[in-house]
């Protein structure tokens, strides 16, 4: 390598094991890979890529509510609105009425209203609540 002390990280469209393997086949000497949007859409992606998940069921409502709890615990209050918007823009792609759900979340005036909207969505769309991988 020309610069051996500089780490090279893959970035872009790593969203599952197939895309990771493809990227690594094209750049086998990289030091790692970066996952962004796929982590917001599929918070379980890291365990899945490590091969730790086999046919596991996820409670999608609990994941959404836990994200808000973690946000409040780990981020300054001024970051909450933008972090919620970023997460739910991608997370809502998992659902039958994802655009509707995303709109509801992006228009929530605060975290408590977001929690209410999450519960309302899954009350209206109970088939979306549990996802089996």
């Amino acid at each position: 390598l020309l610069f051996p002390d500089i780490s090279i990280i893959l970035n872009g469209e790593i969203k599952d094991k197939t895309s990771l393997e493809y990227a690594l086949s094209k750049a086998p000497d990289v030091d790692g890979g970066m996952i962004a949007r796929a982590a917001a859409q599929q918070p379980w992606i890291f365990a899945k890529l490590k091969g730790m998940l086999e046919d596991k069921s996820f409670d999608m409502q609990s994941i959404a509510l836990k994200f808000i709890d973690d946000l409040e615990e780990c981020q300054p209050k001024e970051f909450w609105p933008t972090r919620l918007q970023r997460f739910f823009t991608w997370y809502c792609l998992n659902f039958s009425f994802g655009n509707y759900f995303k709109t509801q979340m992006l228009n929530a005036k605060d975290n408590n209203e977001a929690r209410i909207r999450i519960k309302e969505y899954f009350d209206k769309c109970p088939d979306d609540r549990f996802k089996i991988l």
Side-chain angles (χ1 to χ4, degrees):
L1 293 173
L2 187 57
F3 299 102
D5 295 335
I6 298 173
S7 296
I8 306 297
I9 308 296
L10 287 169
N11 184 18
E13 296 305 317
I14 297 174
K15 56 186 175 233
D16 54 28
K17 189 173 182 178
T18 302
S19 61
L20 175 62
E21 288 171 348
Y22 176 77
L24 291 173
S25 75
K26 296 298 180 188
D29 295 326
V30 299
D31 297 300
M34 188 180 302
I35 299 172
R37 292 181 301 263
Q41 183 180 358
Q42 309 168 57
W44 52 84
I45 191 170
F46 300 102
K48 192 170 184 182
L49 289 173
K50 285 184 172 183
M52 297 167 57
L53 290 180
E54 296 295 327
D55 297 331
K56 182 170 174 147
S57 175
F58 288 93
D59 181 341
M60 303 298 277
Q61 176 177 306
S62 293
I63 291 171
L65 294 170
K66 177 83 168 101
F67 177 80
I68 297 172
D69 293 343
D70 290 347
L71 181 67
E72 291 173 345
E73 181 180 332
C74 300
Q75 294 285 309
K77 190 172 185 171
E78 61 270 15
F79 288 5
W80 296 356
T82 57
R83 298 300 190 264
L84 262 143
Q85 290 169 347
R86 288 179 189 170
F87 177 77
F88 284 104
T89 294
W90 298 103
Y91 188 67
C92 290
L93 294 173
N94 290 297
F95 306 111
S96 301
F97 299 96
N99 284 330
Y100 167 78
F101 189 20
K102 178 176 73 173
T103 300
Q104 292 299 305
M105 297 309 297
L106 295 180
N107 289 316
K109 68 178 179 181
D110 58 32
N111 291 357
N112 289 328
E113 186 174 314
R115 287 182 177 94
I116 291 167
R117 290 178 180 211
I118 290 166
K119 291 173 184 170
E120 287 174 349
Y121 177 81
F122 289 106
D123 285 344
K124 292 177 186 175
C125 301
D127 291 344
D128 278 355
R129 181 159 177 188
F130 294 97
K131 184 175 184 86
I132 298 175
L133 301 174

